[in-house]
Amino acid sequence: MKWVIGLLCLIFLILFHELGHFIAAKLCGVKVESFSIGFGPVLLHKTIKGTDYRISLFPLGGYCGMKGENDFQTAIEEKLPYIKGEKDSLFGVHPLKRAFIGFAGPFFNFIFAIILASLINLIGFNYYSFSNQIRVYDDVTKLNFSSCPAKDAGLQNEDKIIKINNTEIINFQDIIKEVSTHPDENIEITVLRNNEILNFTAHTLLNKETGAGFLGIQNFDNTYLEFSSPKYNFFTAFGKGILDTFDYISITFKSIGLLFKGVNIKNAVSGPLRVTDLLGSTIQDSFKVSAKIGFINMFQILCIISISLFIMNLLPIPILDGGLILFALIEAIAHKKINPKFQYYIQYIGLAFIVVLFCIGMFGDISYFINRGKN
């Protein structure tokens, strides 16, 4: 069941992305020849105002088929100096319109993330965590670290962390969030010790297996406390949703940067199998607790995946939306059509990158499931 849930959620994310392309194409005067839920052989279809709406056999997302998408291949085969296109085709409209169509898909993922983040803030939720009182690790060598940043900075057992980098700390979950998102960085820590407020600077270490920051602390005791998220009205929830979305984007870019710092790439890059499994398991387990927790956790993970799709598709790599946007902007600035042969060779680079990334993701997925089966 979890695989069905995970797959349905991923399908919805992809369809919402394609809906962005669909609406933008219509606005720019490009004929949309087909819009399909799923791939492969068509099971059901109906043509409305020139667009063939389809339900296809393989439910792995969908596609928005625009007029003239094959003009690029035609130009290659006929060795044309530029891509010819009719006025209502993808390569026949002004380059800025083509860039807009390419941008609309990722932008819809961005908008969807804002909607989800806003809903989370509007609904609100209760959660459990430990207090903000800490215990410092005496020996971190067992955890494969050479030093303990918290101990080196001067933190002690029973300290209560009340601020990290000017962010108020309420519980241990807040500590984990701030520390994990600032690996290999100096962080300012404010603690309460014997009714005295003290300030420390610690340099976190990078956990190369997870990509998270490491401070060398744990919760002081194992007593769970109940906390409530802040209450927001509709407008403040929407504003907070926008801020949260940009925070997620910042964290995602930071995570990408960590790939160049020796993080275990098998753990850092997840393939479609692991993403589907994680998504389905999280949602299924959360709804067993309560419907409210189920929706909150579903919204959170869909928000993160949607942001990842937004960023990934905007990378200036041929065969991705970012590649279409890049070439369109070059044409618009140079006032000259790009030779399709040049684009053809550049696409090989983009294709190679995607294949390598896909293979890494699949290899990581296989290792993940094999190791999980052993445990």
Side-chain angles (χ1 to χ4, degrees), residues 50-353:
T51 300
D52 191 34
Y53 296 92
R54 306 169 177 173
I55 296 178
S56 300
L57 180 60
F58 303 111
L60 301 173
Y63 60 86
C64 174
M66 289 173 272
K67 182 178 179 180
E69 285 185 306
N70 295 325
D71 289 344
F72 171 75
Q73 188 62 37
T74 301
I76 293 295
E77 293 172 355
E78 298 180 3
K79 299 180 180 180
L80 300 176
Y82 61 90
I83 303 172
K84 292 182 179 180
E86 298 180 27
K87 289 184 178 180
D88 61 345
S89 68
L90 181 63
F91 290 97
V93 296
H94 191 278
L96 289 181
K97 288 186 176 181
R98 189 158 64 251
F100 174 68
I101 294 170
F103 177 73
F107 181 69
F108 261 52
N109 289 130
F110 172 71
I111 294 299
F112 188 54
I114 290 178
I115 293 171
L116 293 174
S118 300
L119 284 173
I120 292 170
N121 287 307
L122 184 63
I123 296 171
F125 55 94
N126 293 337
Y127 62 99
Y128 292 88
S129 180
F130 303 113
S131 73
N132 56 347
Q133 193 169 25
I134 65 164
R135 186 185 300 277
V136 179
Y137 280 111
D138 291 324
D139 184 8
V140 295
T141 56
K142 297 177 182 179
L143 303 173
N144 297 320
F145 290 100
S146 58
S147 63
C148 178
K151 192 173 184 179
D152 293 343
L155 271 65
Q156 298 178 6
N157 293 337
E158 299 188 45
D159 281 349
K160 284 188 175 181
I161 296 180
I162 57 177
K163 278 187 180 182
I164 297 179
N165 289 343
N166 291 320
T167 298
E168 186 179 5
I169 300 299
I170 303 298
N171 51 52
F172 201 77
Q173 183 171 302
D174 293 339
I175 298 174
I176 293 173
K177 179 183 176 182
E178 289 303 313
V179 172
S180 64
T181 55
H182 292 89
D184 193 22
E185 292 183 25
N186 285 334
I187 58 174
E188 302 299 323
I189 303 173
T190 302
V191 306
L192 182 64
R193 180 188 298 167
N194 298 324
N195 294 320
E196 183 181 1
I197 294 177
L198 303 172
N199 295 299
F200 301 91
T201 300
H203 187 87
T204 61
L205 300 178
L206 170 64
N207 186 330
K208 293 186 178 181
E209 287 299 314
T210 64
F214 175 78
L215 186 59
I217 60 172
Q218 57 185 327
N219 45 293
F220 183 75
D221 57 42
N222 294 321
T223 303
Y224 277 108
L225 303 174
E226 185 175 6
F227 298 90
S228 297
S229 65
K231 302 295 182 182
Y232 298 98
N233 61 36
F234 178 82
F235 296 103
T236 54
F238 181 70
K240 184 67 166 52
I242 294 175
L243 294 176
D244 288 345
T245 300
F246 278 105
D247 281 343
Y248 284 135
I249 291 174
S250 175
I251 292 170
T252 303
F253 273 115
K254 188 178 292 185
S255 299
I256 294 172
L258 291 175
L259 294 177
F260 302 96
K261 290 189 174 183
V263 172
N264 188 334
I265 196 166
K266 290 191 300 180
N267 294 332
V269 179
S270 297
L273 295 177
R274 203 180 339 174
V275 171
T276 304
D277 178 71
L278 173 64
L279 185 55
S281 298
T282 302
I283 294 172
Q284 187 178 45
D285 293 343
S286 298
F287 272 100
K288 289 179 181 178
V289 179
S290 71
K292 187 176 183 180
I293 294 298
F295 279 113
I296 290 293
N297 286 340
M298 180 175 69
F299 291 162
Q300 285 179 329
I301 195 167
L302 285 177
C303 180
I304 293 170
I305 295 174
S306 194
I307 288 168
S308 297
L309 288 174
F310 165 69
I311 294 172
M312 184 187 73
N313 278 284
L314 283 181
L315 294 176
I317 298 171
I319 81 170
L320 294 180
D321 294 325
L324 179 69
I325 296 168
L326 176 64
F327 286 129
L329 292 178
I330 291 173
E331 280 191 21
I333 294 170
H335 299 288
K336 184 180 179 181
K337 290 184 176 292
I338 300 174
N339 191 305
K341 193 174 183 180
F342 171 75
Q343 295 187 48
Y344 179 75
Y345 288 123
I346 293 295
Q347 275 197 345
Y348 270 112
I349 300 174
L351 182 61
F353 176 83

